[in-house]
């Protein structure tokens, strides 16, 4: 007998699990810290739909060069790749699923992907498919593709 799994509208629309409190806190901390440090040169956004193939994706956080938003003509899915996509692993997501997402983003044209692993208080910074650096606990994350630096103590606070 198969188990019945309820899937929320959120999960169906975004193709990923509904966030919990840890996920939400990390996402808020990442957005705040990135905006605090880089708002003059970059646009930090969360939950932006991207026109990745085959079905589109919605990363937790994206970083674009400083762009002006067109409040009248913003597309439902952005066709221009961000510099960086950040995904925060939920308890129901496997490491393999998270790595597969980075491959989709690299095919779309991003420069780097960060995979946040809350249970380890760690971040894998991918600079190409299969190539990453591992940062954890009190390390300062350094993204060699973009030059972004972020103390992890503030992310997992």
């Amino acid at each position: 007998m198969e188990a019945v799994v309820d899937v929320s509208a959120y999960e169906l629309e975004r193709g990923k699990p509904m966030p919990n409190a840890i996920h939400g806190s990390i996402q808020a901390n990442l957005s705040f810290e990135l905006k605090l440090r880089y708002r003059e040169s970059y646009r930090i956004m969360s939950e932006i739909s991207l026109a990745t193939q085959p079905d589109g994706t919605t990363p937790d956080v994206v970083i674009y060069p400083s762009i002006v938003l067109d409040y009248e003509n913003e597309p439902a899915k952005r066709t221009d790749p961000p510099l960086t996509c950040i995904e925060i692993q939920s308890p129901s997501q496997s490491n393999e699923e998270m790595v597969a997402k980075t491959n989709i983003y690299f095919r779309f044209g991003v420069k780097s992907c960060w995979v946040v692993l809350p249970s380890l208080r760690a971040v894998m910074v991918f600079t190409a498919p299969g190539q990453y650096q591992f940062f954890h606990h009190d390390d300062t994350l350094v993204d060699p593709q973009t030059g972004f630096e972020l103390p992890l103590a503030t992310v997992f606070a």
Side-chain angles (χ1 to χ4, degrees):
M1 178 175 249
E2 289 185 36
V4 176
V5 178
D6 286 332
V7 179
S8 69
Y10 177 97
E11 292 169 290
L12 285 173
E13 181 181 327
R14 289 168 179 80
K16 60 185 185 180
M18 184 168 295
N20 62 17
I22 291 171
H23 185 287
S25 293
I26 291 170
Q27 186 169 337
N29 290 347
L30 274 166
S31 297
F32 174 80
E33 294 295 335
L34 287 165
K35 194 160 185 106
L36 184 67
R37 289 168 170 75
Y38 299 107
R39 71 174 163 248
E40 298 299 323
S41 302
Y42 299 94
R43 169 88 52 188
I44 314 302
M45 300 183 282
S46 64
E47 301 292 332
I48 302 302
S49 294
L50 302 176
T52 55
Q53 296 299 318
D55 301 318
T57 51
T58 306
D60 294 309
V61 179
V62 294
I63 305 170
Y64 276 92
S66 188
I67 57 175
V68 176
L69 297 179
D70 182 349
Y71 285 86
E72 296 175 11
N73 298 303
E74 182 64 25
K77 291 184 179 183
R78 291 197 67 94
T79 57
D80 57 326
L83 295 172
T84 301
C85 287
I86 303 171
E87 286 285 355
I88 303 165
Q89 186 178 37
S90 295
S92 64
Q93 292 176 302
S94 70
N95 290 340
E96 291 78 12
E97 286 176 79
M98 302 307 289
V99 171
K101 284 185 176 190
T102 69
N103 294 330
I104 292 169
Y105 296 137
F106 282 116
R107 281 195 303 273
F108 191 56
V110 302
K111 302 290 184 204
S112 65
C113 294
W114 302 358
V115 175
V116 180
L117 307 169
S119 64
L120 300 176
R121 290 179 188 82
V123 180
M124 298 182 334
V125 175
F126 286 80
T127 55
Q131 297 179 7
Y132 66 90
Q133 291 180 296
F134 188 81
F135 301 92
H136 61 93
H137 297 283
D138 291 331
D139 288 345
T140 295
L141 177 154
V142 178
D143 184 335
Q145 292 289 74
T146 61
F148 298 126
E149 293 187 14
L150 201 60
L152 293 187
T154 63
V155 173
F156 296 109

